[in-house]
Amino acid sequence: MSGRLDKDGRTSKPGGLRGVPRSHEHEPGVHPRNPVPTVDIIIALGDGIVLIERANPPHGWALPGGFIDYGETAEAAAVREAREETGLELEGLTQFRVYSDPRRDPRMHTLTVVFTAVGRGVLRADDDAKAAAVYRLDELPEEMAFDHRRIIVDYVRWLG
């Protein structure tokens, strides 16, 4: 057992839901606090990658992406988010890495599955993107949202 139980059989440390008897953690109506799943996509287009300027807080430039809908795969969410925010279709969608630092999103604890792909079509900003542009990997904008600068730096290192 990974958490300690108090005298009433309730968890008191990580490994169970605080204050919920371990035997009741999987009952209907008991909801654990988990990171919220998201996707981000590094989309190669021309001589750079696609970034969107966020219309909603937190503001700044970001990789296209968003929340995975209930019943949706991460891959389907990546295709949908890319289409919604950039108007692009994706070719060669490949999982890159997962980022889960609780501080990566100032709104809540998220876990993102990052994908790489090649973009096809005409780039346009839509949905919650105020603008969309192609940036060279060595000329990123100053103000970037979330941990996306770190993700791109990791990607550049991976490319070699």
Side-chain angles (χ1 to χ4, degrees):
M1 193 176 307
S2 59
R4 291 189 183 148
L5 301 179
D6 65 14
K7 64 181 176 60
D8 298 317
R10 298 181 193 279
T11 57
S12 59
K13 289 212 165 200
L17 297 174
R18 184 174 302 279
V20 176
R22 198 173 261 294
S23 61
H24 297 292
E25 287 181 352
H26 301 289
E27 288 184 12
V30 175
H31 302 287
R33 286 184 59 189
N34 294 330
V36 176
T38 65
V39 294
D40 290 301
I41 314 100
I42 300 169
I43 304 173
L45 189 67
D47 64 349
I49 61 169
V50 174
L51 296 178
I52 59 152
E53 186 177 13
R54 291 181 50 81
N56 302 311
H59 296 287
W61 288 88
L63 294 166
F67 296 102
I68 300 172
D69 292 337
Y70 187 81
E72 182 178 47
T73 66
E75 293 81 1
V79 170
R80 175 182 53 76
E81 287 288 347
R83 188 179 301 126
E84 288 175 359
E85 293 182 346
T86 70
L88 298 173
E89 298 299 325
L90 301 179
E91 274 186 19
L93 186 69
T94 304
Q95 186 176 330
F96 175 58
R97 290 193 183 156
V98 172
Y99 293 81
S100 61
D101 186 324
R103 299 163 299 191
R104 67 175 304 277
D105 185 331
R107 302 168 298 178
M108 69 190 84
H109 183 183
T110 62
L111 175 149
T112 190
V113 180
V114 179
F115 291 92
T116 62
V118 174
R120 298 286 183 233
V122 177
L123 179 62
R124 63 173 169 70
D126 206 354
D127 196 34
D128 56 356
K130 183 165 64 172
V134 174
Y135 280 89
R136 290 173 36 106
L137 291 170
D138 59 352
E139 295 178 355
L140 299 175
E142 193 64 34
E143 186 183 348
M144 293 197 66
F146 311 112
D147 58 352
H148 290 188
R149 183 177 303 279
R150 175 185 170 208
I151 292 170
I152 295 167
V153 166
D154 289 349
Y155 176 68
V156 170
R157 285 186 187 135
W158 177 80
L159 287 174

